[in-house]
Amino acid sequence: MPDNTNTCQVGGLPVTPFKSMTEAVKTIGSKPGFAVAINAEKALMTIDNDEFHNILRSATILYADGIAIVKTLKKKGVNSARIPGCDLWVELMHDAARTDKHVYLLGAKEEVNRKAAEKLRGEFNLKKLNRKNGYFKEESEIARDLQNLRPDIVTVAMGSPQQEKLIARLREVYPEAFYMGVGGSYDVFVGEAKRAPEVFQRLNLEWLYRLLSEPKRIFRQFILVKYAYMHLTNRL
Ligand code: UDP
């Protein structure tokens, strides 16, 4: 459960509002726990899925990653900045380098994972870093790595809900780290996937850009219509 009482329920999930990215970085990742980026898709996924709902409720911080969540919070009288998970991850990596934290970079394809690690070592000057791609055979390899290497921060780029389910299991064997699921963030970081152009970001239309560039996501995006209906009829 979130360790701070300043939360607001969205679809049964206690979301912590943040005034700015700076405030979010100060609060998130400073101690062991589990942060989850909440967007419309995840909020709805949890409504019919008790297992996933319980996993997200076991997180220590849920933050508003999607504009839909920011709007629902606002409707409930709570102001929050939008905290895009991929930007938060970059900020946390800068902070980890500054404070000499040990990071375990898990997930994405081998080449992406390796390039992300190289960039963090080279450009961010992150000294304590271990890594593993997201296509491993045995989960026990990861658990063993964590217990042996004892990182402070574990970021997992394997897409939802797999990454959150994996984190919940890893926390049982190694609770001492701060964990965060980061989806396609490493791909964006190394230039393998493109982030929406500035104008889409400014207009809060990153979801639309993603839909246009990956039309096969249309079925995932239908959920936005359901979310909009629930938002407008105060069902969230
Ligand atoms: N991925 C992985 N292992 C898997 C499946 C996916 O490491 O078994 C990685 C994939 O290479 C990509 C990320 O997970 O880097 C998925 O990103 P996506 O943008 O689909 O995540 P979302 O945030 O949309 O759930």
Side-chain angles (χ1 to χ4, degrees), residues 205-223:
L205 290 174
E206 274 192 277
W207 59 272
L208 177 62
Y209 177 81
R210 194 139 190 211
L211 178 59
L212 296 174
S213 48
E214 285 179 71
K216 64 179 188 308
R217 293 177 79 97
I218 185 80
F219 291 106
R220 283 178 69 167
Q221 302 266 1
F222 270 140
I223 212 155

Side-chain angles (χ1 to χ4, degrees), residues 75-93:
K75 203 167 183 212
K76 294 180 179 224
V78 174
N79 284 322
S80 177
R82 177 172 169 245
I83 309 293
C86 57
D87 293 340
L88 176 63
W89 177 75
V90 170
E91 293 303 321
L92 287 175
M93 292 300 102

Side-chain angles (χ1 to χ4, degrees), residues 39 41-42 45 106-110 112 132-136 156-164 181-188 192-193 210 214 217 220:
N39 54 25
E41 198 179 348
K42 268 188 227 162
M45 226 192 272
L106 176 62
K109 287 180 275 180
E110 174 58 18
V112 170
K132 182 148 268 163
N133 71 54
Y135 296 87
F136 48 86
V156 185
M158 294 179 62
S160 286
Q162 298 94 296
Q163 61 193 20
E164 285 81 16
V182 295
S185 298
Y186 307 165
D187 299 77
V188 173
E192 177 79 11
R210 194 139 190 211
E214 285 179 71
R217 293 177 79 97
R220 283 178 69 167

Side-chain angles (χ1 to χ4, degrees), residues 45-64:
M45 226 192 272
T46 60
I47 289 177
D48 307 317
N49 181 335
D50 285 349
E51 185 205 355
F52 194 47
H53 191 204
N54 289 336
I55 287 175
L56 294 202
R57 288 190 68 93
S58 77
T60 46
I61 289 221
L62 309 179
Y63 60 92

